[in-house]
Amino acid sequence: MTVDEIGKRLEAHVQADELLGLAWLVATGDQVSTGTAGHLDSSRAVPVRADTVFRISSMTKPVTAVAASILIDEGVLDPAEPVDRLLPELADRRVLAHPAAEITDTVAARRPITVDDLLTFRLGWGMDFADFSPKPLDAAWSELGLGWGPPTPAEMPNPDTWLARLGTLPLQYQPGERWLYHVGAPILGFLVARAAGKPLSEFLAERVFGPLGMVDTGFSVPAGKLDRFGPHYADRDGARIVFDPADGQWSTPPAFEGGGDGLVSTLADYHRFARMLRDGGEHDGIRILSGEAVAAMTRNHLTAEQLARGGPNPDGSAGWGYGVGVQLSDLADGPRAGSYGWSGGLGSTWSNDGAVTGILLTNQTWSSAGPLPVFATFESILGEVARAGEAA
């Protein structure tokens, strides 16, 4: 498939006013194609460029998992160890008698939360993709300002305050019982920071971003790069509104460095990260992770029972590794079994499917119904590219 063909199919979504702008990358081995469409803002004065900086939200999760995996490689962390040593706020957990119980109706946790529980999102806290009905814990979570919904880094407390508040709440499920989305990632980021003895941003800069040459990735955008960083948009009752202006929540370093959804990045930067994983943990002769760590990160850890109760995909076609979704079966018009990656609700996605890497970054938040149609088009393109390479 040619660059022009990919570009035309994606640009059609911009022309239909589904979103204002996007940047894409499709790589097969060392052959890399990129393109852009649309603009950074609603005035349509500044076009999206290949080096535009985007909010990547939940595409942060794989990066945080890599940070933890580095410390596991070095023996600083052990997947089987309880988090209590470094996160005493989360020791001696209580668990809701049932998920919809009042927060005082609890039983004792059968065991501590482990590092592996954080990595695989089985710690007992998180979003239940199988049941979004409001519950007493949700109200308590909001009252404590713990963040539930799109990322708002500038409005969040510092890590110690956040963990102290979190520690006052019971778990929704017993540790290890269920896959629940998101909450394991910010906790994992703060675990990494405490294990390393420095803020998560410093550890990532020293051990991931610096070695990989990810010069535009971080928890905020420096003033000198704001010209490459536009507003971000959301839909409200059918109207496009500004979710975050260019000089908004990501324009200054936050106290809360969200390991689940806080990063900004570019096509080139995230491709370096994706290529490192594709190449077994090494990039341009620099080893970031062991091959064993990459294998652990990119294989499914969820049991059949856990997948049946609610996993990353409602249809059960995807499991969960360490910070990434793992495709368990081939989709007719999309990823193949064994591919892995993750998406961000602010409008981004990445996957590695064999030799094929795909990245799509946009400035439009997903709707409550899920991804915008352009993401289905991009998945279809990646599937066609992967199958064509396999047939060649």
Side-chain angles (χ1 to χ4, degrees):
M1 187 178 299
T2 68
V3 173
D4 285 346
E5 289 172 334
I6 296 172
K8 286 178 182 177
R9 288 170 66 174
L10 296 176
E11 187 174 1
H13 292 271
V14 176
Q15 295 297 328
D17 202 31
E18 176 184 315
L19 69 166
L20 284 169
L22 60 83
W24 61 269
L25 178 149
V26 176
T28 304
D30 293 330
Q31 294 185 338
V32 182
S33 300
T34 63
T36 64
H39 297 83
L40 288 184
D41 64 353
S42 57
S43 68
R44 292 177 169 81
V46 182
V48 173
R49 304 182 341 197
D51 64 351
T52 291
V53 181
F54 289 90
R55 302 156 185 81
I56 63 170
S57 53
S58 287
M59 279 171 58
T60 303
K61 291 175 171 67
V63 178
T64 303
V66 163
S69 297
I70 289 171
L71 295 178
I72 292 170
D73 268 344
E74 295 177 347
V76 176
L77 293 175
D78 182 334
E81 74 170 306
V83 301
D84 303 12
R85 172 175 64 90
L86 293 165
L87 303 176
E89 299 95 334
L90 306 187
D92 303 319
R93 288 293 83 207
R94 303 290 297 180
V95 184
L96 290 173
H98 58 86
E102 296 297 328
I103 62 171
T104 55
D105 184 6
T106 65
V107 298
R110 291 193 287 266
R111 65 165 176 80
I113 298 168
T114 66
V115 175
D116 185 79
D117 291 332
L118 299 184
L119 284 160
T120 61
F121 289 11
R122 293 182 290 190
L123 68 159
W125 272 316
M127 302 177 195
D128 186 347
F129 283 3
D131 180 9
F132 286 103
S133 62
K135 300 175 179 63
L137 184 70
D138 300 340
W141 198 280
S142 297
E143 288 170 9
L144 290 172
L146 294 173
W148 199 261
T152 53
E155 298 173 9
M156 299 290 284
N158 64 58
D160 291 346
T161 300
W162 190 83
L163 285 165
R165 292 177 185 175
L166 180 66
T168 67
L169 294 178
L171 298 174
Q172 295 153 263
Y173 289 90
Q174 290 285 343
E177 183 180 357
R178 282 284 308 273
W179 183 89
L180 299 168
Y181 187 58
H182 179 68
V183 177
I187 299 174
L188 184 67
F190 299 145
L191 181 81
V192 167
R194 288 191 179 175
K198 60 188 66 176
L200 179 61
S201 57
E202 289 186 23
F203 184 82
L204 290 174
E206 293 171 7
R207 302 301 303 275
V208 182
F209 303 153
L212 290 177
M214 297 173 67
V215 297
D216 291 320
T217 303
F219 289 105
S220 62
V221 181
K225 297 182 179 181
L226 284 175
D227 63 325
R228 293 194 280 126
F229 183 66
H232 198 85
Y233 295 88
D235 180 87
R236 180 175 295 169
D237 299 325
R240 182 176 290 135
I241 64 165
V242 175
F243 165 75
D244 183 62
D247 60 354
Q249 302 239 9
W250 279 266
S251 63
T252 55
F256 186 93
E257 297 178 344
D261 55 15
L263 289 175
V264 299
S265 193
T266 61
L267 286 179
D269 274 14
Y270 212 88
H271 180 224
R272 290 170 180 270
F273 176 80
R275 191 170 64 180
M276 177 273 294
L277 290 174
R278 187 203 68 189
D279 292 345
E282 190 172 326
H283 175 74
D284 289 346
I286 300 172
R287 181 153 293 281
I288 306 298
L289 285 180
S290 67
E292 293 81 4
V294 174
M297 183 173 168
T298 58
R299 67 175 175 84
N300 174 52
H301 291 262
L302 305 186
T303 67
E305 180 184 358
Q306 287 168 340
L307 287 169
R309 295 183 68 182
N313 278 7
D315 61 6
S317 66
W320 193 254
Y322 285 173
V324 296
V326 180
Q327 194 66 29
L328 301 178
S329 58
D330 291 347
L331 295 184
D333 191 26
R336 301 174 299 171
S339 65
Y340 59 87
W342 199 236
S343 303
L346 292 188
S348 61
T349 192
W350 150 69
S351 66
N352 280 351
D353 185 349
V356 178
T357 294
I359 302 168
L360 176 64
L361 306 176
T362 82
N363 53 12
Q364 179 75 29
T365 299
W366 291 1
S367 72
S368 58
L372 301 171
V374 67
F375 287 88
T377 297
F378 191 60
E379 275 198 356
S380 179
I381 288 168
L382 295 179
E384 291 174 35
V385 171
R387 288 170 175 79
E390 192 176 55

